[in-house]
Amino acid sequence: MKKTLAIDEDMLVYRIGYGVKDYDSRFRVESAIWQYLIKLCLESGHTQFILCRSDKTLWRSAMYPLYKATRKHNINPWRAYVKEYLTEYCLKVEGEEADDIMASLAAQKEGIIICTNDKDLRQVPGEHMKFSGDKATVTKEEGNFNFCLQLLMGDNVDNIPGIPGIGLGRGKKALEKMEVTEENCLRFYLEKNLTIEYYTMMYRLMKMKTDLDVSSMRIITLDEIRKMEEPYG
């Protein structure tokens, strides 16, 4: 069975954009895009991929306006061009993030390898690869633990508070003292005088969706991108 990389296109664009920030032509930038994707395929040992892109308008931001509000947006003239250039190759679902698309692909399709540096995806069982090429397999038990830990401590990168005062160390200690279930996480919230409504919002913000319609996915092969890269020599 052929395996397929589900690539976080948001992070891909950021990394390529940073790498080409001093380039002086679209020709060089386009060449760099295909070279980077070829490199990812070779590092993974697999020959096909799906690019997963976040929508511009996200339901998480509508539900919680502070979502990702602390992120800094550095100006990079090439990043917007890279994103526009890759548009026709991407899988996008209205209102959803690349994270949820990758999680849905992993849940619904065989042979998916999630390719991202985002720790949020470590709640999803299966094969994972970072952009550095580092690989790991997350078991169902590990995925459950990773999600429950994040549910307690929140996510500073995405500006999701979780339980105030609970960081990585305290979160792990709390989970070591309980059966690691979402129900026990709720009890822990209530013990901290937090409401069920607050818990529900935190849960929804941090839980990856696995039921999105990903039928419009476009699988791109290594042979295809090598042909696309040929004119750039």
Side-chain angles (χ1 to χ4, degrees):
M1 178 186 64
K2 278 192 173 184
K3 295 192 175 182
T4 306
L5 292 177
I7 299 176
D8 182 346
E9 191 260 358
D10 301 338
M11 190 167 290
L12 176 75
V13 167
Y14 180 87
R15 294 177 71 85
I16 294 176
Y18 181 81
V20 302
K21 65 181 187 302
D22 296 323
Y23 283 18
D24 57 3
S25 72
R26 292 184 177 185
F27 184 90
R28 291 184 67 198
V29 172
E30 291 167 11
S31 176
I33 292 170
W34 299 122
Q35 287 175 13
Y36 196 99
L37 286 166
I38 290 170
K39 173 176 170 286
L40 278 181
C41 284
L42 294 177
E43 286 178 343
S44 74
H46 303 289
T47 60
Q48 56 189 32
F49 62 88
I50 302 165
L51 293 178
C52 305
R53 171 179 288 188
S54 296
D55 197 10
K56 290 182 179 179
T57 304
L58 304 175
W59 66 265
R60 284 184 175 90
S61 297
M63 184 179 76
Y64 183 62
L66 295 177
Y67 182 60
K68 296 187 177 182
T70 56
R71 287 196 177 186
K72 295 180 180 179
H73 299 282
N74 297 322
I75 297 174
N76 183 323
W78 285 122
R79 196 172 298 155
Y81 180 74
V82 172
K83 198 161 191 71
E84 179 185 359
Y85 185 81
L86 288 173
T87 295
E88 66 177 291
Y89 306 102
C90 292
L91 171 60
K92 186 173 74 171
V93 179
E94 185 177 357
E96 304 293 349
E97 295 185 64
D99 294 4
D100 301 282
I101 296 172
M102 290 185 285
S104 293
L105 284 166
Q108 298 174 34
K109 308 294 181 182
E110 293 186 0
I112 293 293
I113 302 170
I114 292 174
C115 182
T116 183
N117 290 357
D118 193 337
K119 68 182 186 305
D120 299 353
L121 271 297
R122 291 306 174 101
Q123 65 182 261
V124 180
E127 295 184 66
H128 293 252
M129 188 181 94
K130 292 184 177 181
F131 281 93
S132 63
D134 293 341
K135 301 169 186 174
T137 299
V138 176
T139 66
K140 186 176 180 180
E141 291 74 21
E142 289 169 338
N144 179 60
F145 182 91
N146 292 337
F147 172 66
C148 287
L149 177 60
Q150 192 165 19
L151 190 54
L152 297 186
M153 62 182 285
D155 187 337
N156 287 335
V157 174
D158 289 340
N159 200 36
I160 303 173
I163 299 175
I166 300 294
L168 180 61
R170 289 184 178 181
K172 285 184 175 180
K173 286 182 180 178
L175 292 178
E176 288 169 359
K177 297 176 182 178
M178 67 171 80
E179 183 183 356
V180 182
T181 65
E182 294 169 5
E183 292 78 9
N184 283 335
C185 288
L186 170 58
R187 292 190 185 97
F188 198 72
Y189 267 70
L190 297 176
E191 288 173 5
K192 298 296 182 180
N193 296 317
L194 299 167
T195 65
I196 292 178
E197 291 76 16
Y198 179 79
Y199 167 86
T200 300
M201 181 169 64
M202 295 297 105
Y203 180 97
R204 291 189 63 200
L205 286 170
M206 289 184 271
K207 186 72 170 179
M208 297 294 105
K209 290 185 177 182
T210 57
D211 60 350
L212 299 181
D213 180 2
V214 292
S215 59
S216 62
M217 65 183 186
R218 175 178 176 180
I219 295 177
I220 304 166
T221 67
L222 180 57
D223 286 343
E224 284 182 78
I225 55 176
R226 277 180 167 153
K227 288 179 182 178
M228 294 173 187
E229 203 273 334
E230 279 178 2
Y232 301 97

